[in-house]
């Protein structure tokens, strides 16, 4: 019998209802001329020697012997070149899933024993979830890992997609996809800060609602680990 206590579950059921305490409009957006595959590749080449500002929801619990060890996982941050600039392909998870139901996320998931590295995990998961062929993805690099409250140690892999790629969604896991302008996500004025209390402690998270009206229910409410990894991406590109 395992001596490990249960993995903590995320404390927020309705993140839209958590009060906004401000935005980060004091931070400059990443200049448009830096949002190119060549510049992004050059910055990612430096990421192995860079410490991101957001390391994860539960990184302080990594060495807690009462919890199971973190499980390796990867996500693909898919960049799509369009006439009006790079877009980020995001997915909306279906509402019936046990974990992260209805949330906006990157394609990805946990590593399998046959995966030779984090890149293969990200490509395999993207193919399984949205039917993205690995041959349509040019890998630009990786961001430092991010540890989730559910104890996944996630490697974000950044890839440039063939603009002519096709998708075939796994209807069980993915309710839909959208392309969000990278320039929008790399503008901290669109990064909202939320504050709440959990187990007697003050906690914070970021959101980046995207849509014609970010306060409407149909807006894509990007938050949690997805928003945190995008924020780390911002800090790497803005250096």
């Amino acid at each position: 019998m395992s001596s490990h206590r249960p993995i903590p579950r995320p404390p927020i059921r309705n993140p839209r209802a958590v009060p906004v305490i401000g935005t980060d409009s004091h931070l400059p957006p990443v200049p448009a001329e830096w949002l190119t595959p060549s510049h992004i590749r050059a910055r990612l080449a430096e990421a192995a020697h860079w410490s991101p500002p957001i390391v994860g929801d539960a990184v302080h619990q990594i060495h807690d012997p009462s919890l199971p060890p973190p499980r390796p996982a990867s996500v693909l941050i898919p960049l799509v070149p369009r006439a009006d600039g790079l877009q980020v392909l995001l997915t909306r998870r279906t509402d019936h899933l046990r974990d992260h139901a209805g949330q906006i996320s990157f394609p990805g998931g946990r590593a399998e024993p046959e995966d030779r590295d984090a890149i293969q995990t990200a490509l395999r998961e993207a193919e399984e979830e949205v039917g993205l062929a690995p041959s349509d993805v040019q890998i630009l690099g990786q961001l430092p890992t991010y540890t989730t409250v559910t104890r996944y140690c996630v490697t974000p892999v950044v890839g440039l997609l063939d603009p002519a790629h096709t998708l075939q969604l796994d209807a069980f896991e993915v309710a839909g996809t959208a392309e969000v302008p990278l320039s929008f996500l790399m503008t901290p004025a669109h990064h909202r800060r939320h504050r709440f209390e959990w187990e007697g402690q003050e906690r914070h998270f970021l959101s980046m609602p995207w849509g014609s009206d970010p306060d409407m229910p149909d807006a894509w409410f990007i938050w949690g680990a997805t928003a945190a990894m995008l924020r780390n991406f911002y800090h790497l590109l803005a250096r």
Side-chain angles (χ1 to χ4, degrees), residues 3-238:
S3 61
H4 292 146
R5 61 188 171 92
I7 295 173
R9 310 308 299 171
I12 303 172
R13 294 186 179 275
N14 182 12
R16 293 176 185 263
V18 179
V20 177
I21 61 171
T23 70
D24 284 336
S25 56
H26 63 287
L27 294 174
V30 176
E33 60 270 24
W34 290 3
L35 298 178
T36 63
S38 59
H39 183 84
I40 292 170
R41 186 193 296 276
R43 280 288 187 257
L44 288 168
E46 305 169 358
H49 308 290
W50 173 70
S51 297
I54 309 176
V55 293
D57 304 307
V59 70
H60 62 284
Q61 298 175 336
I62 283 180
H63 302 296
D64 185 339
S66 70
L67 290 170
R71 296 161 289 181
S74 294
V75 296
L76 181 68
I77 301 180
L79 304 181
V80 188
R82 300 297 187 195
D84 54 350
L86 291 174
Q87 312 289 307
V88 180
L89 178 69
L90 294 171
T91 70
R92 187 193 297 274
R93 294 171 65 82
T94 50
D95 291 331
H96 63 261
L97 293 176
R98 178 176 178 269
D99 291 329
H100 314 299
Q103 289 189 16
I104 309 306
S105 63
F106 302 116
R110 66 185 179 188
E112 298 295 345
E114 63 270 20
D115 294 339
R116 63 179 176 271
D117 55 24
I119 291 174
Q120 185 174 9
T121 298
L123 292 176
R124 176 184 54 75
E125 286 285 339
E127 186 172 24
E128 292 175 3
E129 290 184 10
V130 298
L132 185 62
S135 59
D136 285 338
V137 185
Q138 178 185 351
I139 300 300
L140 299 181
Q142 300 175 198
L143 288 165
T145 58
Y146 177 90
T147 304
T148 69
V149 70
T150 49
R151 296 187 68 76
Y152 283 102
C153 187
V154 182
T155 300
V157 177
V158 182
L160 184 69
L161 305 194
D162 183 335
H165 70 272
T166 59
L167 300 177
Q168 185 172 353
L169 308 187
D170 178 344
F172 181 80
E173 290 194 33
V174 181
T177 65
E179 292 183 7
V180 180
L182 181 61
S183 59
F184 173 90
L185 298 169
M186 297 296 102
T187 300
H190 300 143
H191 299 183
R192 297 181 173 186
R193 290 192 171 273
H194 300 253
R195 180 173 61 205
F196 66 103
E197 286 193 6
W198 185 51
E199 296 184 343
Q201 294 186 350
E202 186 177 283
R203 305 294 180 97
H204 299 81
F205 68 87
L206 290 169
S207 73
M208 305 168 186
W210 179 78
S212 56
D213 185 341
D215 293 312
M216 293 297 291
D218 62 347
W220 280 52
F221 194 81
I222 304 163
W223 75 290
T226 302
M229 287 184 274
L230 284 167
R231 180 54 174 258
N232 283 341
F233 198 20
Y234 162 80
H235 284 292
L236 179 68
L237 296 182

